[in-house]
Amino acid sequence: MKFLALAAALLLAPPLAAEPTGALGLVVERANGSLLVVDQGKRASLGRITGLGDLSHASLVYSPDQRFAYVFGRDGGLTKVDILAREVVNRVMQAGNSIGGAISDDGTLVAVSNYEPGGVRVFDAGTLEMVADIPAESKTVGLVDIPGRRFVFSLWDKGETWIADFSGDEPEITRIPGMGENPYDALVTANGRTYIAGLFGADHLSALDLWEDEPQPRAILDGYAEERDKLPVYKMPHLEGWALTGEEFVLPAVGQHEVLWVDARDFTETGRTKTHGQPIFAIARPDGRQVWVNFAPPDNDTLQVIDTATKEVIHELKPGPGVLHMEFTPRGHEVWVSVRDAGKVVVYDTQTLEPLREIEADNPSGIFFTARAHRLGL
Amino acid sequence: MKFLALAAALLLAPPLAAEPTGALGLVVERANGSLLVVDQGKRASLGRITGLGDLSHASLVYSPDQRFAYVFGRDGGLTKVDILAREVVNRVMQAGNSIGGAISDDGTLVAVSNYEPGGVRVFDAGTLEMVADIPAESKTVGLVDIPGRRFVFSLWDKGETWIADFSGDEPEITRIPGMGENPYDALVTANGRTYIAGLFGADHLSALDLWEDEPQPRAILDGYAEERDKLPVYKMPHLEGWALTGEEFVLPAVGQHEVLWVDARDFTETGRTKTHGQPIFAIARPDGRQVWVNFAPPDNDTLQVIDTATKEVIHELKPGPGVLHMEFTPRGHEVWVSVRDAGKVVVYDTQTLEPLREIEADNPSGIFFTARAHRLGL
């Protein structure tokens, strides 16, 4: 009877099926507090994970093995989900209002950037126990991982960037003042070397070379919107969406209908491309040959595709109302686009620019493929 | 009884355990025709897949979902293995002597480069049925994938590079003559744009810009070994091991005890670093800050670590006799080193440069982590 009971238990709750994780992804369903588990190869959703709280403006990072995702909710919740089991395995309310996070290069630490009460909190990736609290007395933005169990983030209220080094027994903090007024977001290049902060209170950006022993802020694109009509800014662009095409960055211009091209080596401007509206994300296809751009309201039903070689718009798409995010397959042959108000994700072939499939989703926003587990600086 | 039999069957042959594939890898055991399945997080081997024939000089690529590997054996065998099930699922003898292969960006085609009978053969990634035979009347080398279901390879006997485009119904071949005498290997940059071939019969290399409509070969590093003592070449360096540190390539100099630094934008030489022996692989840590170099016999018991910022050797390691290959974890915090004649793989912390673990392996050579599934140009 024991045998039978065990067998019955096995039949009733079968072990998880063997499932490779390389081509999976998660789509944030912002209104419902849920995540759609998707498969790039099948171009389909496989299931849904619920109970994640307020997921407006949510983002996530992956464990190195791609089994777990750490989801940063706007409500201050840090939720760990098991993609294979399709369930929440742990959830802590770590702050009142959080803005994003990162995972250390060795996968052991998860850091969260907070508006309320400000500062950064760092958690054990296994247990979600807090291992460090870095108050900072400021809202923090632009939190990224860099090599050596380090995180970099910026202080909105103080115009500083801090490097938190967790390679030793105690965290060591390096403070870099003089970044400029009100950094509102930042990015680091894919090799973890160049950190660039966007400034709300200044008409330039600030860059740091993190390979220097004592990194010094350097103003770049000074006066980039000078002598231009300032349009009302409907939504600040996402700097993490900045594209690096190999030799150039492509930046969404704040409050302008254009993207800016910048030499990745000396930060001089190399061109501007007029766009359909105020760009939010300008994301390079992984090979850098195309840059896909979406826009702030009221132009957020449109996508434009720019050819990197000519810097010209080569195609315009109308996926539907509320185009919020794009994510390329890791080698760039397809791109997934979330269309919030149409309740769908649309998959495009990036060579033919034709739609291949629509996948139903509830108010989809961010799309995150598991290949992110293997990238620095997210 | 049916229920009991079914239950018993389940117990006797349990389904594969759920297992994420993001941090797995395969180590080629060249003498035995086997692959060791390894786990980066556990720093351990999980099992062994046998029956792959002659694996001297073998390499492999991964399916986009990271479940399958396609192994290119020197004996002309193309073997598909299931990493989760730890077994060979298909094997074809496709030629007499093959040298490497690649998988298309959409994961549907596997191409193999052959010495005997020469040319390239292309297979359906699902069934391993041949879908195209490209004779070329030459040994082929330097086969890589680029975006748009395309492959690029070079012809040893003809000094040409060919682009095979599988985006349409029939493959289209573009032939580029004038690459130089006897290309022996090649690489493409991570964005699939710049293809560089090493030449056995000339004192320069040839580069192609694949973004051009009609790519033209350009000689680079012309005369790089001029006026230098020509040492006997014990083993040709691997060009796929060329490192891109962000702004520079680092190339193993053929027949010299040095690596060459080359500006990635204009291909001018920017420096040389003396090394312990004739370099075989010069591989950049994923963040580009370090370059690890191994050497041809009789210096193949040694590894040197070069700092990219200063171009100086900062550390020397003696892992043991027969250091054949290095593979970094995707975000670069650790590196795995195969030490053939000591029958082990050694894992190092790339920050402290201390060994962390030794893993027993039978004549290990190439180490391939599953994150390769997400990279162009391998």
Side-chain angles (χ1 to χ4, degrees), chain A residues 40-58:
Chain A
Q40 295 159 48
K42 297 189 175 83
R43 297 189 196 112
S45 66
L46 304 177
R48 183 171 270 130
I49 302 170
T50 56
L52 283 93
D54 180 0
L55 290 187
S56 57
H57 218 274

Side-chain angles (χ1 to χ4, degrees), chain B residues 236-276:
Chain B
M236 292 298 281
H238 280 266
L239 295 203
E240 68 226 80
W242 286 6
L244 179 62
T245 63
E247 300 187 352
E248 291 166 303
F249 289 104
V250 190
L251 318 179
V254 176
Q256 303 292 334
H257 287 204
E258 64 188 14
V259 296
L260 311 174
W261 301 76
V262 181
D263 187 291
R265 202 174 281 191
D266 63 14
F267 298 118
T268 56
E269 187 183 319
T270 53
R272 298 184 178 206
T273 302
K274 289 274 165 220
T275 54
H276 175 72

Side-chain angles (χ1 to χ4, degrees), chain B residues 200-234:
Chain B
F200 190 75
D203 197 9
H204 68 273
L205 305 99
S206 283
L208 292 174
D209 179 353
L210 299 173
W211 283 15
E212 291 175 358
D213 290 333
E214 295 183 7
Q216 298 298 324
R218 174 175 169 192
I220 62 174
L221 290 182
D222 202 9
Y224 73 88
E226 229 170 9
E227 300 170 24
R228 309 186 58 94
D229 291 339
K230 299 245 161 83
L231 305 177
V233 177
Y234 294 105

Side-chain angles (χ1 to χ4, degrees), chain A residues 27-310:
Chain A
V27 178
V28 172
E29 298 185 310
R30 47 190 287 146
N32 261 0
S34 58
L35 299 169
L36 205 60
V37 181
V38 296
D39 184 303
Q40 295 159 48
K42 297 189 175 83
R43 297 189 196 112
S45 66
L46 304 177
R48 183 171 270 130
I49 302 170
T50 56
L52 283 93
D54 180 0
L55 290 187
S56 57
H57 218 274
S59 65
L60 59 87
V61 296
Y62 287 102
S63 64
D65 66 2
Q66 303 173 332
R67 176 166 197 157
F68 300 106
Y70 301 89
V71 185
F72 311 106
R74 197 53 179 270
D75 58 3
L78 168 62
T79 311
K80 179 177 178 176
V81 303
D82 181 334
I83 301 169
L84 290 175
R86 318 247 198 274
E87 64 185 19
V88 170
V89 291
N90 203 348
R91 176 167 162 81
V92 294
M93 292 304 294
Q94 59 85 38
N97 186 327
S98 68
I99 187 65
I103 186 165
S104 60
D105 59 351
D106 65 351
T108 61
L109 299 173
V110 174
V112 192
S113 183
N114 291 318
Y115 275 5
E116 183 52 47
V120 167
R121 286 180 169 155
V122 180
F123 299 85
D124 180 295
T127 62
L128 296 196
E129 276 173 43
M130 188 160 72
V131 298
D133 188 6
I134 306 171
E137 294 169 356
S138 166
K139 291 180 188 172
T140 55
V141 301
L143 173 64
V144 298
D145 64 286
I146 61 171
R149 281 168 69 93
R150 291 180 299 165
F151 297 104
V152 186
F153 54 92
S154 295
L155 280 57
W156 163 271
D157 301 295
K158 294 185 175 175
E160 297 183 1
T161 292
W162 289 14
I163 303 169
D165 182 337
F166 286 84
S167 63
D169 292 336
E170 291 293 322
E172 271 185 34
I173 309 288
T174 302
R175 302 175 184 204
I176 301 162
M179 290 293 286
E181 197 179 328
N182 295 139
Y184 75 90
D185 197 4
L187 71 90
V188 71
T189 49
N191 64 358
R193 176 172 183 175
T194 307
Y195 184 85
I196 302 177
L199 301 171
F200 190 75
D203 196 11
H204 69 272
L205 305 99
S206 283
L208 293 174
D209 180 353
L210 299 173
W211 283 15
E212 291 177 358
D213 290 333
E214 296 182 6
Q216 300 296 325
R218 175 175 168 191
I220 61 174
L221 290 182
D222 202 9
Y224 74 86
E226 229 170 8
E227 300 169 24
R228 307 183 62 91
D229 292 338
K230 298 246 161 80
L231 304 178
V233 177
Y234 294 105
K235 182 166 164 47
M236 292 298 281
H238 281 266
L239 296 202
E240 70 226 78
W242 286 5
L244 179 63
T245 63
E247 300 186 352
E248 290 166 304
F249 289 104
V250 190
L251 318 179
V254 176
Q256 303 291 335
H257 287 202
E258 63 188 15
V259 297
L260 311 175
W261 300 76
V262 181
D263 187 292
R265 204 174 279 193
D266 63 14
F267 299 118
T268 55
E269 187 183 318
T270 53
R272 298 183 178 207
T273 302
K274 290 273 165 220
T275 54
H276 175 72
Q278 291 186 11
I280 293 296
F281 282 104
I283 304 182
R285 199 172 67 178
D287 68 339
R289 183 60 197 263
Q290 293 175 352
V291 175
W292 288 55
V293 187
N294 71 341
F295 303 99
D299 299 312
N300 62 348
D301 63 341
T302 301
L303 274 176
Q304 285 186 318
V305 183
I306 303 174
D307 176 69
T308 305
T310 62

Side-chain angles (χ1 to χ4, degrees), chain B residues 36 39 67 141 168 178 235 259-260 265 271:
Chain B
L36 206 59
D39 183 302
R67 177 167 197 157
V141 301
K235 182 166 166 44
V259 296
L260 311 174
R265 202 174 281 191

